Amino acid sequence: LRVSPLCLGGNVFGWTADEAASFSVLDAYVDGGGNFIDTAESYSRWVPGHQGGESEEILGRWLRSRRNRDQLVIATKVGAPMGDAPEQKGLSRRRILDAVEGSLRRLQTDVIDLYQAHFDDHETPLEETLTTFDELIKAGKVRHIGASNYTASRLRSALEASRRLGLRPYETMQPEYNLMDRDQFEGKLQETCLEYGLGVITYFSLARGFLSGKYRQGQPLPVSERAAAVERDYMNPRGFRVLDELDRVANQYQATLSQVALAWVMARQGVSSAIASATSASQTRELLGAVRLQLDAESLRRLDEVGRSD
């Protein structure tokens, strides 16, 4: 399974990007050489009036209109709540079998390239989840499976269970990871992914937009759905030091802050692809510039160091 170093995040489709804007973003991404698109059945259930599945539906209509399905790697996820009833969440056999049919229908495709467990489900035995995923692979509905938001110990347990039962194992891991948020991946989870040879797909690679440079000390907050949370979590002395260092490296390479922040993630050991979202074609083209940006060892070291500061 070969994917672009920059994965296009589909969480904004049907949320902050309407269908026309989403189509423009997708077109620009593919025109720029990208082949990897990540979504989830639950996107964008958090929006008032939405039920989930909106992102997959938009992506499915785009795939049908562009007739380019075979050229792309489509990843989606199961496990986040799609309703309040117990059977509408988690990773039980019933939930997965119901969810995959919904995702296939909305995506207007016969097969999902990468089907991921969105969140761990401690109420369902790992063996039940893994056996169900294996059934889907054998039925030709899914090509590869992965996990998201697992701890290192839980991921290792899942991988060992697959080995013990002779089932297809998780092949990818999707953690939150960026210059500001490093604890979930670095350390035991990174070591486990390297040991078992998993591909790592990072989400929130730009720290929900903070590392794009739109958030500055003493300046008004951007008009954004995420602005209040970004201010709370990142607009502090450490965050501003990271932005200062990104500014210095960006000036050195005549690049944007987003490109530098993504290039840093892509250069980390074990990372296969960094997810980033866009709401316009121009923003998409900017993000794609990160793929061509090769930071020198000193720049990577300085960014690594400032990102670790308290």
Side-chain angles (χ1 to χ4, degrees), residues 63 69-70 72-76 100 103-105 107-115 136-137 139-144:
L63 288 168
R69 174 66 186 89
D70 292 343
L72 300 168
V73 176
I74 303 298
T76 192
V100 74
S103 289
L104 289 168
R105 183 181 66 254
L107 291 166
Q108 302 191 45
T109 187
D110 296 326
V111 62
I112 294 165
D113 297 306
L114 177 60
Y115 203 35
L136 295 179
I137 293 172
K141 295 181 179 182
V142 169
R143 290 196 172 108
H144 305 269

Side-chain angles (χ1 to χ4, degrees), residues 64-306:
R64 182 169 183 172
S65 69
R66 300 307 189 258
R67 299 183 179 182
N68 59 358
R69 174 66 186 89
D70 292 343
Q71 302 166 31
L72 300 168
V73 176
I74 303 298
T76 192
K77 311 182 199 72
V78 57
M82 287 291 282
D84 297 326
E87 66 270 16
Q88 290 179 296
K89 61 182 178 180
L91 298 171
S92 68
R93 185 174 189 276
R94 177 181 177 183
R95 173 83 273 270
I96 293 172
L97 293 180
D98 179 64
V100 74
E101 296 301 332
S103 289
L104 289 168
R105 183 181 66 254
R106 289 186 291 267
L107 291 166
Q108 302 191 45
T109 187
D110 296 326
V111 62
I112 294 165
D113 297 306
L114 177 60
Y115 203 35
Q116 302 159 98
H118 203 160
F119 296 95
D120 192 12
D121 176 9
H122 286 275
E123 296 180 5
T124 300
L126 281 171
E127 291 78 6
E128 179 179 338
T129 298
L130 295 167
T131 299
T132 308
F133 279 145
D134 196 69
E135 287 179 32
L136 295 179
I137 293 172
K138 290 175 179 174
K141 295 181 179 182
V142 169
R143 290 196 172 108
H144 305 269
I145 57 171
S148 178
N149 297 300
Y150 275 43
T151 63
S153 60
R154 189 66 167 172
L155 178 61
R156 184 179 292 273
S157 295
L159 294 167
E160 289 300 324
S162 297
R163 181 178 292 175
R164 185 176 67 254
L165 298 169
L167 304 172
R168 280 282 291 275
Y170 289 141
E171 298 177 58
T172 62
M173 179 64 203
Q174 189 174 135
E176 178 178 4
Y177 188 54
N178 56 65
L179 271 165
M180 296 294 297
D181 300 294
R182 304 175 63 168
D183 292 345
Q184 185 183 130
F185 177 57
E186 291 182 359
K188 291 183 178 179
L189 183 59
Q190 185 178 24
E191 292 166 6
T192 302
C193 291
L194 289 169
E195 178 183 345
Y196 286 86
L198 272 68
V200 175
I201 312 157
T202 63
Y203 74 86
F204 285 168
S205 306
L206 292 175
R208 288 170 281 169
F210 175 71
L211 299 176
S212 69
K214 293 185 295 186
Y215 296 83
R216 295 290 188 171
Q217 192 171 15
Q219 296 184 9
L221 292 178
V223 179
S224 165
E225 298 278 352
R226 294 173 169 171
V230 170
E231 179 183 32
R232 179 193 67 224
D233 294 340
Y234 302 125
M235 296 188 74
N236 51 49
R238 174 176 173 253
F240 295 131
R241 286 198 299 273
V242 169
L243 291 183
D244 287 343
E245 191 58 49
L246 282 172
D247 279 330
R248 283 189 282 271
V249 177
N251 287 333
Q252 176 185 342
Y253 284 90
Q254 296 298 296
T256 67
L257 267 69
S258 294
Q259 290 168 346
V260 173
L262 288 171
W264 179 85
V265 172
M266 293 172 186
R268 303 300 286 174
Q269 188 178 24
V271 172
S272 302
S273 190
I275 301 172
S277 304
T279 55
S280 68
S282 60
Q283 190 179 54
T284 307
R285 287 189 285 269
E286 177 201 343
L287 296 177
L288 283 164
V291 176
R292 301 183 294 273
L293 181 59
Q294 299 292 319
L295 301 177
D296 62 37
E298 176 59 18
S299 296
L300 291 170
R301 186 198 64 77
R302 295 203 318 265
L303 288 167
D304 181 55
E305 186 174 281
V306 74

